[in-house]
Amino acid sequence: RKEVEQDPGPFNVPEGATVAFNCTYSNSASQSFFWYRQDCRKEPKLLMSVYSSGNEDGRFTAQLNRASQYISLLIRDSKLSDSATYLCVVNGGTGNQFYFGTGTSLTVIP
Amino acid sequence: GAVVSQHPSWVICKSGTSVKIECRSLDFQATTMFWYRQFPKQSLMLMATSNEGSKATYEQGVEKDKFLINHASLTLSTLTVTSAHPEDSSFYICSASWPIQETQYFGPGTRLLVL
């Protein structure tokens, strides 16, 4: 079983839509969780860290469910500029071990 | 967020050449640096984990004699692709671990094309 699993998509949504991505992790000892965004032919950039019960940043909301071992990312009022691949990253819980999901591709359509 | 630089951004070289890529954390001391490779339309693949002053830990299937990693200081790690071949052409990305947030910050990547 993979450490981190994501639905690869692709998700094609109209502008203004709300879209949610889920990511499951297998190591119950994991302590830190992150969402990164990767644009085509660019490096991943940190979008949000997710700690304890989750957090919100503008149109983006990240949530953590420890009991079910998943994190989610909700994007409200989608913009064309939100089109990218969203990577779920989980810290292994024993120091500098990070596990990446395969990424979820989002395309926001005019 | 923290800043990580990579140099060079682009490399085009002949088969058999060795290529050195530098990764620097510019505004913090990174306890650990990571090297990834990404082929077109595929996900990031971790190649190795590098701690300052010690040998790198390579992922299964990554040849340590082909991909030499040197982590000379808390702000600099280098990846040398020795005797590069066309199948080594890829997007190589480094990241540095920022201990305060326990997260990674990525360099802008290096595109390697081996002819």
Side-chain angles (χ1 to χ4, degrees):
Chain A
R1 184 183 172 188
K2 288 183 180 178
E3 294 281 345
V4 177
E5 299 214 45
Q6 272 184 270
D7 179 350
F11 284 66
N12 300 315
V13 302
E15 259 187 300
T18 297
V19 61
F21 310 133
N22 283 332
C23 168
T24 59
Y25 61 95
S26 60
N27 186 353
S28 59
S30 299
Q31 294 296 320
S32 305
F33 310 88
F34 311 93
W35 284 102
Y36 281 77
R37 169 194 170 127
Q38 186 175 24
D39 291 285
C40 187
R41 301 173 68 83
K42 298 282 188 182
E43 78 278 17
K45 292 190 191 281
L46 181 65
L47 180 65
M48 299 179 79
S49 302
V50 188
Y51 295 108
S52 61
S53 58
N55 54 316
E56 183 173 322
D57 183 4
R59 298 182 293 109
F60 298 84
T61 301
Q63 290 192 318
L64 166 65
N65 184 317
R66 287 192 183 273
S68 302
Q69 292 183 202
Y70 76 85
I71 65 172
S72 62
L73 178 67
L74 182 77
I75 306 176
R76 291 182 297 276
D77 188 23
S78 299
K79 311 289 184 192
L80 297 178
S81 57
D82 294 334
S83 299
T85 295
Y86 291 84
L87 298 164
C88 165
V89 180
V90 176
N91 182 290
T94 56
N96 274 311
Q97 280 184 307
F98 294 87
Y99 298 99
F100 283 73
T102 53
T104 298
S105 173
L106 171 67
T107 301
V108 180
I109 304 165
Chain B
V3 180
V4 177
S5 71
Q6 251 182 273
H7 177 80
S9 305
W10 273 96
V11 180
I12 302 175
C13 66
K14 292 182 180 179
S15 188
T17 306
S18 290
V19 176
K20 185 176 181 180
I21 303 170
E22 290 188 351
C23 177
R24 293 181 186 271
S25 57
L26 298 184
D27 52 359
F28 67 102
Q29 291 185 327
T31 52
T32 305
M33 288 186 171
F34 303 85
W35 287 97
Y36 295 86
R37 183 165 56 177
Q38 188 174 34
F39 293 105
K41 297 189 178 181
Q42 294 189 23
S43 54
L44 284 172
M45 290 174 47
L46 179 64
M47 298 176 68
T49 302
S50 169
N51 291 295
E52 184 263 342
S54 62
K55 289 184 179 180
T57 302
Y58 289 82
E59 294 299 300
Q60 194 172 11
V62 178
E63 299 175 58
K64 62 180 180 180
D65 294 329
K66 176 148 183 85
F67 299 99
L68 301 178
I69 292 173
N70 185 295
H71 197 151
S73 74
L74 284 170
T75 60
L76 173 64
S77 177
T78 60
L79 168 69
T80 301
V81 184
T82 60
S83 186
H85 291 285
E87 59 266 27
D88 298 322
S89 299
S90 188
F91 187 38
Y92 291 85
I93 313 175
C94 74
S95 72
S97 176
W98 190 10
I100 295 175
Q101 290 189 341
E102 297 181 308
T103 189
Q104 295 183 63
Y105 290 91
F106 287 85
T110 297
R111 295 204 177 275
L112 172 63
L113 177 61
V114 185
L115 304 175

